[in-house]
Amino acid sequence: MAAKRLYEGDDQKENQDQQGGKRLKKLPSFSTVIRDVIMAKSLQNFCLALEPLLRQVVKEEMEHKLAQGALMLPRSPQRQIQEEFSNLKLIFKKPPILPIYTFSKIEDEEGNHLQIQLIDTLTGETPVAFHRLSNLKVEIVAVNGDFPGDREEWMATEFNNNIMREREGRRPLLLGDVSVTLRDGVAYITHLSFTDNSSWIRSRHFRIGARVVPESYDGPRILEALTERFTVKDQRGELYKKHYPPALVDDVWRLDRIGKGGAFHVKLGAEHIETVQDFLKLLVIDPDHLRVILSSMSDKMWEGTINHAKTCPIGSKRYLFNDPYYGNTVFLNPICEIMGVILQGNLYTPDQLSIQQRAYVQSLAKQAYYNWDKLEETEFSLPANALLPIELPAPQGLMASSSWHAANQEITTVTEFQIEGPNESQFFEAAFSLDFSGSKTQPD
């Protein structure tokens, strides 16, 4: 009972302490103490068991960090050069042909596939006997045109830092054979093209580079290959560019001052003048009509277009046209210039004909022009002592027009004739009654 009263008294005292804002700390129970001791003992045993494992992990990590730190220490220049460079080098055997346009196949200056070659700089030959180089993987990359300046050697990190990547949201900068394999030290790039021009980078130039894929090779450093710097232009520039000199088969808009799809192009097309050859044939047969077609051209533009057209190589082909009435034959070059004529079995050059005969032969050339698809190709050639067409005096009653002929890269003027409309029937009647014996009949 006394113990109970003591408990009750303590309880009363505790209540009083609570009312007074004071509270005594409650002592832990026996079971709590026993549980804490067991947990502490278990933790101690766990730490003792884990300690060897932790020591091993820490040791390995420290060794790894120390090894990395040793690699970061500065090396002597001589040792660095020995590690970075060797006598092995990749080269492009021939430079690419310029200019280069987007999406156009890149070829070497001879029109062949780009060729990469591994050489020994000491001998200049491919070290084919080096078995580790027999199947090297080579990556083709675009490189900043300003790299490497005037240097012939560079660090691998410098090369890698100057590799150009595509602009955000665009396809890869290079398409095609961007990864090739060296076979006996040689690899061919059968197709390679740029997808973007070079105007967006500071240097405005690219280079094509070739580097060994590190995973495919474990040996001395192989110096990367680099082409000369060049600009890459948009493909639309190639589509609209002029040709110097133009070819006979070129579209007529390849001539200066004639834009593709422009007014002049449309007007020429309406007259069935589609190619440079068509343009030159009409220039020879009827230059006045050609000038009418291009009447909105200024004289300066007209002169520029004509001069550009005249640089076109006309080749050595010859065509013959037979007069269906009298059996005479005229020989023409690809732009309808008269190279020779057979009159009553005799061969004449244009300068050997009389005024009337020349006009008659010119009428045959005009008929040949309008029947060009029916002409027969021939191997006609002038005799060794024959004269090339020369400038001839204009006849009375006939309208003269200028022509030209390229021989041995020189331009010679030829005067040709057209029949005036009102006297056409009278002229043909007179021309067909001419004596083609070869004698020169002077006009009245």
Side-chain angles (χ1 to χ4, degrees), residues 202-219:
R202 185 174 182 179
S203 68
R204 300 291 192 272
H205 292 81
F206 286 136
R207 295 179 192 264
I208 300 175
R211 64 175 181 175
V212 174
V213 178
E215 293 78 10
S216 70
Y217 171 69
D218 181 19

Side-chain angles (χ1 to χ4, degrees), residues 92-102 104-115 192 194 208 227-233 238 241:
F92 287 96
K93 194 164 185 181
K94 293 179 182 177
I97 189 172
L98 302 178
I100 294 177
Y101 293 90
T102 55
S104 293
K105 181 180 176 182
I106 301 173
E107 299 176 329
D108 68 19
E109 60 186 1
E110 295 184 356
N112 301 318
H113 300 318
L114 285 179
Q115 182 178 346
L192 187 70
F194 281 89
I208 300 175
T227 66
E228 294 297 324
R229 66 201 304 259
F230 53 80
T231 59
V232 177
K233 303 178 181 180
E238 182 183 26
K241 74 175 182 179

Side-chain angles (χ1 to χ4, degrees), residues 94 111 145 179 198 247 257 263 297 342 373 378 380 410 433:
K94 293 179 182 177
S179 179
S198 58
R257 280 79 173 181
M297 257 191 182
I342 296 178
D373 294 339
T378 180
F380 167 82
E410 296 181 359
S433 63

Side-chain angles (χ1 to χ4, degrees), residues 339-392:
M339 305 304 296
V341 60
I342 296 178
L343 301 176
Q344 294 186 343
N346 297 315
L347 175 63
Y348 302 94
T349 56
D351 65 296
Q352 296 173 324
L353 302 176
S354 66
I355 299 299
Q356 291 86 351
Q357 290 171 338
R358 294 171 193 169
Y360 161 70
V361 171
Q362 180 60 26
S363 71
L364 294 181
K366 194 169 185 179
Q367 292 180 57
Y369 171 79
Y370 289 110
N371 295 276
W372 191 261
D373 294 339
K374 300 177 182 178
L375 299 190
E376 180 181 346
E377 189 173 338
T378 180
E379 297 181 357
F380 167 82
S381 60
L382 292 172
N385 60 349
L387 299 176
L388 291 175
I390 59 175
E391 188 171 348
L392 303 173

